[in-house]
Amino acid sequence: MKKLISTLLLAILTVFIVTGCSGGGSEVSVGIVLPTKDEPRWVQDEARFKAALEDSEYTTEILFSQGSSAKEKENVETLISKGIDVLIIAPHDGAAAGSAVEAAKKEGIKVISYDRLITDTDAVDYYVTFDSIAVGQAQGQYLIDNVQGSNVPLYLYAGAASDNNAFLFFEGAWNVLQPKIADGTFVIANSSEADALKDKATLTRDEMGKILGQVTTNWDPNEAKNKAQTNLTAAGADLKGDVAILAPNDGTARSIADVFATDGAISSYVVSGQDAEKASIQYIIDGKQSMTVFKDVRTLVKDAMGMAIDILDGKTPQTTGSYNNGTIDVNAKQTDVIVVNQENVKQELIDSGYYEAGDFTGLE
Ligand code: BGC
């Protein structure tokens, strides 16, 4: 009996030592860092990662940076200390994240930039993303297709200048809106910088930076609300009536829409969005937000995890193109987006199984 017990103890001890020490047996193999829990968009990503990883044999850990590059760096260091081989990261600030991923690279960790490109560093191996130019184009085109007449006041809003995507979204929107500003369909209502550049079909990054400097929301619904209020206070009667609003995402779209809805001199507004956040789906059903761009996060998660697993298995991930990050061309896999409005919301988001009908009211 004694012998049996000591043999058992030895066996248990051996298991501990082997799992504790072997290189492949690191605590966590894939580390995931997301920018903030304060925006439903990224909580959606977390949920989709968790669902995708339920039966996975790989160990993963998801950490949030809460809108702080310092916290993000700390998160990456924590994951490095846990022995990760692959880091999947959506940066809070694309340039500031450089030092965090350089630390990872030094340890031989492969870095996948997730949704937002990390810029100005060679320490990014891959990029998984939606077609962000197409997102902006879809937003702009929706406004064009849903206004009538000419001289329609156009209110421009954008994301945070620290997010490379904010430029891509704006660029996509400008591509389609600019000709319609030039032909008199729209008049720019809230940006002297955009107005000064209105004859330029293509803008440089610096030029876009100037416009963003005026119309950024910093991805913050509260800042968006304040900016919309300031804009409407400054606007004369000729910039009211039936208007169009380029809002960069759902969180900001809802708060901007709420401001416009309470201005008695605004008779109607068309407003864009993106992310298909649940609250915005309800706004669309209720006619308070005109459209959203649905980015199926399940696909992005699948692509990112697929790449990570390829890397862990010693294979080279498949990519479909590349994005220049200011220092290198980063091999990328890109996913298409879907425009959603009142007409197709049920089909695209409920019938497709993305959300449950019970989460909404007033669905036909
Ligand atoms: C993402 C959007 C998101 C925004 C604010 C962008 O980089 O692509 O989906 O709404 O950041 O978090």
Side-chain angles (χ1 to χ4, degrees), residues 30-35 41-42 45 49 86-91 110-118 124-132 135 163-165 168-169 295-311 316-325 329-337:
V30 182
I32 300 161
V33 178
L34 297 174
R41 157 68 216 266
W42 304 108
D45 293 71
F49 264 113
V86 182
L87 172 67
I88 297 173
I89 172 169
K110 293 277 184 219
V111 175
I112 302 172
S113 212
Y114 180 84
D115 192 288
R116 295 178 175 173
L117 186 59
I118 297 175
V124 189
D125 297 286
Y126 297 100
Y127 181 33
V128 288
T129 181
F130 293 101
D131 185 346
S132 296
V135 170
D163 176 2
N164 188 55
N165 285 345
L168 300 176
F169 300 145
K295 309 200 297 189
D296 192 334
V297 170
R298 292 170 303 188
T299 311
L300 209 59
V301 164
K302 203 171 106 232
D303 287 346
M305 280 313 297
M307 273 188 183
I309 289 166
D310 278 346
I311 294 167
T316 305
Q318 298 288 310
T319 49
T320 52
S322 71
Y323 276 75
N324 189 279
N325 81 339
D329 287 327
V330 184
N331 286 332
K333 184 143 196 290
Q334 185 172 288
T335 291
D336 291 340
V337 297

